Amino acid sequence: MNYNWNWRVLFEQSPTGEGSYLHLLLTGMQWTLATTGLVCVLAVLLGTAVGVARTLPFAAVRIAGRCYVEIFRNIPLIVQLFLWYFVLPELLPPDLARWVKQLPSASFWAAVIGIGLYMSARVAEQVRSGIESLPSGQSMAAKAVGFTIFQMYRHVLLPRAYRVIWPTLTTDLTNTVKATSVALTIGLSELTAQANAMQEFSFQVFEAFSAALAIYFVVNMAMLMAMRRVERYIAMPGYSGGR
Amino acid sequence: MISKFFGALTLAALALGTTQASGQNATSTLKKIAETGSITLSVRDNQLPFSYIDDNQKVMGYSLDLCNQVVGAIKIAVGLKAIDVKTQLVTAQTRIPLLANGTVDLDCSSVTNNAARQQQVAFSNTTFLTATTFAYKKQSGLKTITDLKGKTVVSIAGTNNIVQLNEANTKRDLGIRIVGAKTMAEAFLMLSTDRAVALVTDDILLASFIAASADADAYAISTDAFAPVEPYGLVMRRDDPEFKRVVDKALANYFATPAAIETYNKWFMKPIPPKNITLNFPMSAGLKKAFAKPTDSIDPAAY
């Protein structure tokens, strides 16, 4: 191995003129966190709606929910991002298309929507299995006391389902952090993209990617610990993890 | 527990760093070639016309032709009748690790020679000169850098070009909205779909994408440049002056022959595979000078 290790490169000025290489990576981390945050909101909201739809007693809604999940789950994420970023604007009227294309953070919003929908399909499957894992007596009891379908989901099924699926949702959260790196293909300057830029400028490949690795690790560990804390708090007695 | 883990990680990284640093100078590329009877050239699949793959999956290009001349000189230097020449496809991310660990001996693509990169690798005599300019659609009527004021302009993320664009933007207070695409193909797609009015990158890269596009006549390249010329060179491991001397000498000898000009014209002035496009990119005065007086200088004044 003939490699010139130089960890101090992290504190050297990057040619972008905005600060050190470490600063470059940290701004990348900010985009990674911002994307992850919005993706999670979108994924949980849409995922819950679709997951519920897949368990409703209406065949048409169930089929629609199934189609949604299969489409967004089975198309590779990178293809979905390309479709949102490059193909969708071409289908719009020319003036609107031009406006969309020249939005200042077009790649950020495309990433949020693209990754958000992809993750929502995964969350939907979990919500569905969480609801289906509950004993049928739960929904029967809710109906027996006169709850509407909305009330049944709102007060009985969803709160319990979420407590069941929380551990697997944690996995999806960490997957989301990693999935945001795909957004570099549509020009989002997130952490991996910045590590790429750093190695291109300085040729210090291993330092750039090691630093990115450490940052991903710290971010994911922090999220995992927060999720674990909530998990312990909400665990149901009698279910896995409960006392 | 966590802090202990990080302590261990840091220690491991430091240990790795020191052992590798002390292992430097251990490899002599010429000795390795003499012993194994083979040399591995790293190539790219999309750097037309320097190093690229045609429809038959054959690697070709201007840099490859130069490398073949260098291989001829290496053969003589190590005293072998024949060397097995292998090619290894690399990307921007794998190029340096593969060179460092000895998988690859010489990079035959198009790499800008600059001071920061010389901390990690060595560059041969300059083989080509490029300047950062922009491509635009003729109908948009943009010609100079000042015309880009307030417009959306695309460049390739993580390149020197986008840095120079940023600099010009701040210095001249142009208010350009700068978008970074990941690859040249994406950047050109952004220009052709009007997502951006101009594409800033190396002039030769612009020429090749315009020549390959469906409506080559619709585009033009600015004469206005963002920064002085940058030299391209072949890339070798650092701290192997013996190997660099052979490579530099081989290039210098070749540049002095008319065949070198022919090689240049073959790739830059005549139709090239796979689509028989013509780049129409005459040899610049700076490169003529670099051929007459070969140098590996990174000072723009040297050209």
Side-chain angles (χ1 to χ4, degrees):
Chain A
M1 194 78 163
N2 185 322
Y3 187 81
N4 183 23
W5 285 87
N6 176 17
W7 288 99
R8 264 165 300 177
V9 73
L10 285 169
F11 303 102
E12 281 168 20
Q13 285 291 310
S14 76
T16 56
E18 290 157 4
S20 64
Y21 281 114
L22 188 62
H23 174 84
L24 194 74
L25 294 176
L26 291 177
T27 50
M29 183 190 78
Q30 286 170 5
W31 281 109
T32 295
L33 290 178
T35 316
T36 304
L38 283 184
V39 163
C40 285
V41 172
L42 193 65
V44 167
L45 290 179
L46 277 173
T48 305
V50 176
V52 166
R54 292 206 60 185
T55 60
L56 284 175
F58 313 112
V61 181
R62 277 207 307 273
I63 291 168
R66 171 111 199 239
C67 289
Y68 178 94
V69 168
E70 298 306 347
I71 287 173
F72 286 109
R73 188 169 64 164
N74 289 325
I75 300 175
L77 179 56
I78 190 166
V79 176
Q80 293 194 34
L81 284 186
F82 271 57
L83 290 174
W84 286 109
Y85 191 64
F86 287 116
V87 180
L88 178 79
E90 299 307 315
L91 307 175
L92 300 171
D95 287 340
L96 186 61
R98 199 160 303 211
W99 178 78
V100 168
K101 286 175 194 172
Q102 303 201 348
L103 275 178
S105 310
S107 58
F108 173 67
W109 294 112
V112 167
I113 294 170
I115 304 173
L117 292 183
Y118 176 77
M119 292 311 291
S120 76
R122 304 176 61 116
V123 173
E125 278 305 272
Q126 297 190 16
V127 170
R128 176 180 71 90
S129 57
I131 292 171
E132 286 175 351
S133 77
L134 302 174
S136 54
Q138 298 272 324
S139 53
M140 288 175 186
K143 278 182 205 148
V145 294
F147 277 11
T148 62
I149 286 185
F150 177 80
Q151 286 170 325
M152 176 171 82
Y153 276 95
R154 164 70 186 80
H155 296 290
V156 181
L157 298 183
L158 278 178
R160 303 210 63 178
Y162 262 106
R163 291 165 78 173
V164 173
I165 65 171
W166 196 262
T168 46
L169 275 183
T170 307
T171 308
D172 266 351
L173 176 65
T174 58
N175 277 339
T176 304
V177 176
K178 290 174 272 180
T180 56
S181 66
V182 178
L184 77 90
T185 55
I186 55 169
L188 184 66
S189 307
E190 47 67 65
L191 184 50
T192 308
Q194 297 293 51
N196 255 326
M198 176 180 163
Q199 69 92 13
E200 187 71 31
F201 288 135
S202 67
F203 274 23
Q204 302 294 138
V205 189
F206 294 132
E207 290 84 347
F209 285 105
S210 306
L213 179 144
I215 296 173
Y216 273 120
F217 186 82
V218 170
V219 166
N220 264 335
M221 275 312 255
M223 286 184 174
L224 272 176
M225 286 195 289
M227 292 292 278
R228 281 279 150 73
R229 202 157 265 220
V230 180
E231 188 181 319
R232 272 200 294 274
Y233 178 72
I234 64 168
M236 279 189 294
Y239 280 79
S240 64
R243 287 177 294 270
Chain B
M1 186 274 262
I2 297 286
S3 64
K4 232 183 207 169
F5 179 83
F6 278 110
L9 199 71
T10 320
L11 271 181
L14 284 175
L16 198 66
T18 44
T19 50
Q20 296 311 337
S22 60
Q24 270 177 26
N25 300 330
T27 47
S28 158
T29 308
L30 285 179
K31 206 171 132 210
K32 189 186 144 213
I33 294 170
E35 276 166 10
T36 60
S38 72
I39 181 170
T40 307
L41 311 175
S42 60
V43 294
R44 302 290 292 268
D45 60 1
N46 58 358
Q47 290 187 333
L48 190 117
F50 297 95
S51 172
Y52 66 102
I53 287 179
D54 73 353
D55 345 11
N56 303 321
Q57 300 300 306
K58 193 172 166 288
V59 192
M60 52 172 63
Y62 172 70
S63 297
L64 234 73
D65 279 3
L66 294 182
C67 272
N68 284 330
Q69 294 300 323
V70 171
V71 169
I74 292 173
K75 227 171 4 188
I76 297 165
V78 298
L80 286 176
K81 278 209 184 82
I83 323 184
D84 185 16
V85 181
K86 295 175 189 152
T87 52
Q88 167 78 46
L89 206 59
V90 295
T91 65
Q93 290 82 34
T94 62
R95 174 172 63 198
I96 302 303
L98 290 178
L99 190 68
N101 75 10
T103 307
V104 164
D105 301 309
L106 185 64
D107 182 82
C108 305
S109 50
S110 57
V111 185
T112 301
N113 183 356
N114 65 33
R117 289 168 169 187
Q118 285 178 5
Q119 300 294 311
Q120 191 59 260
V121 294
F123 286 85
S124 74
N125 277 334
T126 296
T127 57
F128 190 77
L129 290 170
T130 181
T132 304
T133 55
F134 67 88
Y136 57 96
K137 284 189 176 170
K138 279 178 189 162
Q139 65 175 53
S140 70
L142 305 161
K143 282 212 169 69
T144 64
I145 293 171
T146 332
D147 291 340
L148 301 177
K149 208 166 194 164
K151 302 266 177 20
T152 300
V153 172
V154 64
S155 186
I156 306 166
T159 59
N160 288 320
N161 312 112
I162 203 165
V163 174
Q164 289 161 358
L165 174 59
N166 269 316
E167 268 170 20
N169 199 17
T170 344
K171 237 180 245 164
R172 302 197 202 176
D173 195 22
L174 295 170
I176 297 174
R177 241 177 303 151
I178 298 169
V179 187
K182 193 211 167 199
T183 63
M184 180 61 191
E186 279 162 33
F188 197 79
L189 190 61
M190 292 181 73
L191 175 67
S192 64
T193 56
D194 297 320
R195 207 181 267 273
V197 296
L199 163 54
V200 175
T201 188
D202 294 348
D203 49 6
I204 180 60
L205 205 53
L206 294 172
S208 73
F209 269 77
I210 290 174
S213 74
D215 46 352
D217 288 339
Y219 299 92
I221 299 174
S222 72
T223 45
D224 214 1
F226 283 88
V229 290
E230 286 183 0
Y232 281 177
L234 308 177
V235 177
M236 295 157 273
R237 274 181 286 276
R238 206 167 151 253
D239 301 324
D240 193 350
E242 193 193 3
F243 186 56
K244 179 171 156 56
R245 214 174 303 126
V246 173
V247 173
D248 280 346
K249 187 136 189 290
L251 286 176
N253 287 343
Y254 187 58
F255 288 159
T257 64
I261 311 282
E262 264 167 48
T263 302
Y264 181 93
N265 290 338
K266 170 180 156 198
W267 294 104
F268 294 94
M269 296 304 289
K270 291 181 184 150
I272 49 173
K275 288 182 187 154
N276 283 320
I277 57 165
T278 307
L279 295 182
N280 250 324
F281 199 86
M283 191 183 263
S284 64
L287 189 59
K288 276 179 193 153
K289 204 172 154 196
F291 268 40
K293 257 180 86 181
T295 170
D296 61 358
S297 171
I298 54 171
D299 179 11
Y303 301 98

